[in-house]
Amino acid sequence: MADHADNDNDGEIFLYRGGRAPLHVSHARIDESVDVIEDEAFRDCRILVHVETHDGIRKVGQWAFQRCKSLMWINLKSAVEIGEHAFDDCENLEVAEFGDKLETIERYAFKGCSSLQRLNLPSIIITGRGSFRCCKALTDIDLSERLETIREGAFVGCHRLRRIAIPLKRGLFSFNVNLQKYNQFDRCDQLTTVDLVGEAHTKVISSLHMKCWRAEMEEEINRINQVLPTTPGNEKTAAIKQWVDSVMDKMDRYKAEHCRFVKEATTLLELALWKARLGEIECSLEPEAKKAKVDAESARRERRITCGADIVIKNVLPFLQLK
């Protein structure tokens, strides 16, 4: 169902309640009863300039705004999913505001949005195949710590892209079977900077046992921003993936070494406690000797409790084993 609202100071505003909007719409308001903007709802509304949304919209359907060439800004802070080709060829779309609920952007959702400049996707899990292909004005991308997959060709042809922020995870890039390569950032010739999102890697590195390990890990993390500026555009993705794998391999190795040191320290401490408790074994002694021994044992127990060795064994050491 589609409807119109009354005229206001900005002219006629189309009130969208579902279905297909008329092609001549220039201003639209999504009714609060609508939580899904349906497939092809505003497709080919080429003079659509402004869409007023609300906080109850959870999904934008397939081709919902495809070829809305006059649309410049949209607020999608409540959306969880954006369907394939939803904003395909919205060439004047400069700003798309996403909130902390958006998890999935389907294939080619923003392909050809050649005016889109920045992306902040704080909760994204999946970016689909070619989802931001040929967004030629895009310069900065901040992805989520929750990100699991960047599919094939997601950012191909983003010629002005300079910086991305991604989590440190294996298997982040999908392999392009047709091209027999990873091509998420092909033709992103100006991509020179990769930052890491999240704090998991920082916590692990700061907790490593040896200072030289921490220094080497930090050096390896910084390496990508030294090699990426001279890496050809069609090799950017391969370089980033190789770097992620290298960082993860080193981190796994040092975590294993760290755990080995912790285990050795635990064993030594347990042996020390066992030795300290040998004196607790009761022997057949004269009453006077027994009394002296009991006093010594009491003092030893008191000192052991005071030094906290028992607490270390049971409660502290397990936390030193890095996950």
Side-chain angles (χ1 to χ4, degrees):
M1 174 181 172
D3 202 355
H4 286 81
D6 295 333
N7 290 358
D8 60 15
N9 294 332
D10 295 325
E12 191 175 77
I13 295 179
F14 174 78
L15 183 63
Y16 177 79
R17 292 175 175 162
R20 184 75 166 87
L23 294 179
H24 66 271
V25 169
S26 62
H27 292 73
R29 178 186 301 129
I30 309 301
D31 190 77
E32 292 191 0
S33 64
V34 173
D35 62 353
V36 175
I37 300 176
E38 296 181 22
D39 296 351
E40 303 187 51
F42 293 89
R43 189 178 191 179
D44 288 319
C45 290
R46 297 181 180 236
I47 64 170
L48 180 65
V49 176
H50 177 74
V51 179
E52 182 181 332
T53 59
H54 59 82
D55 291 339
I57 297 171
R58 59 181 180 82
K59 181 179 178 180
V60 179
Q62 303 176 48
W63 306 287
F65 294 92
Q66 187 181 38
R67 290 191 293 271
C68 290
K69 293 182 176 291
S70 299
L71 185 64
M72 299 179 66
W73 172 86
I74 193 164
N75 182 338
L76 298 169
K77 288 188 175 180
S78 62
V80 177
E81 178 182 351
I82 297 176
E84 60 183 67
H85 294 278
F87 293 89
D88 185 357
D89 202 21
C90 291
E91 60 187 28
N92 283 301
L93 184 66
E94 294 181 1
V95 178
E97 294 190 32
F98 305 109
D100 58 4
K101 296 179 182 179
L102 182 61
E103 297 180 348
T104 303
I105 297 176
E106 297 289 357
R107 61 180 186 166
Y108 304 114
F110 290 88
K111 179 175 74 70
C113 291
S114 53
S115 297
L116 195 63
Q117 297 178 16
R118 299 179 62 88
L119 282 178
N120 184 20
L121 302 168
S123 61
I124 195 70
I125 296 175
I126 297 172
T127 61
R129 180 187 181 99
S131 49
F132 293 91
R133 184 184 181 95
C134 293
C135 290
K136 297 178 181 180
L138 191 61
T139 60
D140 286 88
I141 302 170
D142 286 276
L143 299 173
S144 163
E145 187 175 3
R146 301 174 61 201
L147 184 68
E148 295 177 359
T149 304
I150 304 176
R151 299 207 187 280
E152 310 93 289
F155 298 96
V156 164
C158 294
H159 299 299
R160 296 184 185 177
L161 182 62
R162 297 191 301 265
R163 171 191 166 273
I164 61 171
I166 59 174
L168 186 62
K169 288 182 180 178
R170 295 188 192 275
L172 201 59
F173 302 112
S174 295
F175 187 69
N176 190 312
V177 177
N178 294 329
L179 297 177
Q180 286 295 296
K181 61 180 292 191
Y182 297 95
N183 72 325
Q184 280 74 2
F185 298 99
D186 273 13
R187 306 206 314 268
C188 296
D189 297 334
Q190 295 188 40
L191 180 58
T192 59
T193 304
V194 178
D195 293 329
L196 292 177
V197 297
E199 298 181 353
H201 65 282
T202 303
K203 291 178 180 178
V204 170
I205 292 170
S206 64
S207 301
L208 289 174
H209 182 70
M210 303 285 286
K211 183 178 179 180
C212 61
W213 296 351
R214 298 194 293 272
E216 186 172 340
M217 285 304 311
E218 290 171 357
E219 181 180 348
E220 181 64 16
I221 285 175
N222 292 330
R223 181 176 64 85
I224 187 62
N225 296 325
Q226 298 168 7
V227 303
L228 208 57
T230 58
T231 302
N234 284 346
E235 297 176 17
K236 300 279 189 182
T237 309
I240 295 169
K241 183 185 180 300
Q242 184 277 330
W243 165 74
V244 169
D245 291 342
S246 175
V247 172
M248 294 296 293
D249 287 344
K250 277 186 167 58
M251 190 172 292
D252 288 345
R253 186 172 82 246
Y254 288 142
K255 282 165 64 177
E257 286 294 299
H258 175 94
C259 289
R260 184 177 65 81
F261 274 107
V262 168
K263 187 175 181 180
E264 288 178 358
T266 303
T267 302
L268 290 173
L269 186 52
E270 286 175 341
L271 287 172
L273 289 174
W274 175 76
K275 182 177 179 181
R277 287 169 177 162
L278 285 178
E280 298 175 9
I281 302 174
E282 291 189 1
C283 301
S284 298
L285 301 170
E286 295 296 327
E288 294 80 4
K290 277 188 177 183
K291 184 175 184 304
K293 182 174 179 57
V294 168
D295 291 342
E297 287 173 356
S298 260
R300 181 175 291 170
R301 278 196 298 272
E302 183 178 349
R303 289 190 182 94
R304 187 164 61 246
I305 293 170
T306 303
C307 78
D310 288 339
I311 295 174
V312 169
I313 287 292
K314 293 178 182 178
N315 301 307
V316 178
L317 286 176
F319 286 97
L320 297 179
Q321 299 191 32
L322 302 178
K323 301 299 182 185

